[in-house]
Amino acid sequence: PSSDGRAKSVYAPLASGQARSLRRSYAQAGWTPDTVELVEAHGTGTKAGDAAEFGGLSIVFDTECDRVDRQWCALGSVKSQIGHTKASAGAAGLFKAVMALRHKVLPPTVKIERPNPALKLESSPFYLNTETRPWVRSDDHPRRAGVSSFGFGGSNFHLAVEEYTGNQKA
């Protein structure tokens, strides 16, 4: 978790505070965001909120990572399917990410006809995943996802999760 600290208002998220939460999460997990292939964003669909969230993600996944390839991480939000569930929004996002890991599938985010061109997705680490697809990965690390839940007053939470790869019974 982290806080945006002093901001213009309770409704004005800051990318720097959200980036702090991401950094802490991956440090505690013991791996870097350049191995994350799915981010379940808070994704409120608001101009200020989504710009701040994408800014925080870009700071950590682009500026602070050594990867030079583009569009390697699927980005989505369960809110496009179920709406904003207020206090349970983070739980809904976590469930979506855990099920994606369990089934080895990158789930779609629906109702995206025109992504905000100011985000410049094509030159970022992210792509909006709008269709269900197999989650294909290399053998150098397990499937990994990040889940964000950002709230009023700059309370920021980001959770790093990875698939279980131990002994599995068929």
Side-chain angles (χ1 to χ4, degrees), residues 36-38 97 100-101 104-107 133-137 143-145:
V36 174
E37 297 163 329
L38 170 65
L101 292 168
K104 299 171 178 45
V105 170
L106 291 169
R133 63 183 79 206
W135 191 338
V136 180
R137 62 158 187 87
R143 289 171 183 82
R144 293 178 172 154

Side-chain angles (χ1 to χ4, degrees), residues 38-43 74-82 96 106-113 115 127-133:
L38 170 65
V39 170
E40 181 61 22
H42 186 67
L75 181 64
S77 177
V78 72
K79 288 177 188 67
S80 71
Q81 295 164 302
I82 64 172
K96 181 180 171 188
L106 291 169
T109 293
V110 299
K111 301 177 188 170
I112 300 175
E113 288 82 34
Y127 65 94
L128 295 175
N129 193 50
T130 58
E131 60 185 56
T132 304
R133 63 183 79 206

Side-chain angles (χ1 to χ4, degrees), residues 15-91:
S16 59
Q18 294 180 9
R20 187 178 313 114
S21 183
L22 274 72
R23 279 188 215 102
R24 288 177 179 170
S25 181
Y26 295 118
Q28 288 176 357
W31 31 272
T32 57
D34 60 346
T35 62
V36 174
E37 297 163 329
L38 170 65
V39 170
E40 181 61 22
H42 186 67
T44 60
T46 64
K47 190 173 184 178
D50 287 354
E53 183 170 11
F54 192 79
L57 286 165
S58 295
I59 290 168
V60 174
F61 278 73
D62 198 4
T63 308
E64 297 176 3
C65 281
D66 293 332
R67 287 184 73 152
V68 294
D69 52 333
R70 304 287 82 196
Q71 296 191 304
W72 48 268
C73 184
L75 181 64
S77 177
V78 72
K79 288 177 188 67
S80 71
Q81 295 164 302
I82 64 172
H84 197 311
T85 56
K86 303 293 182 200
S88 63

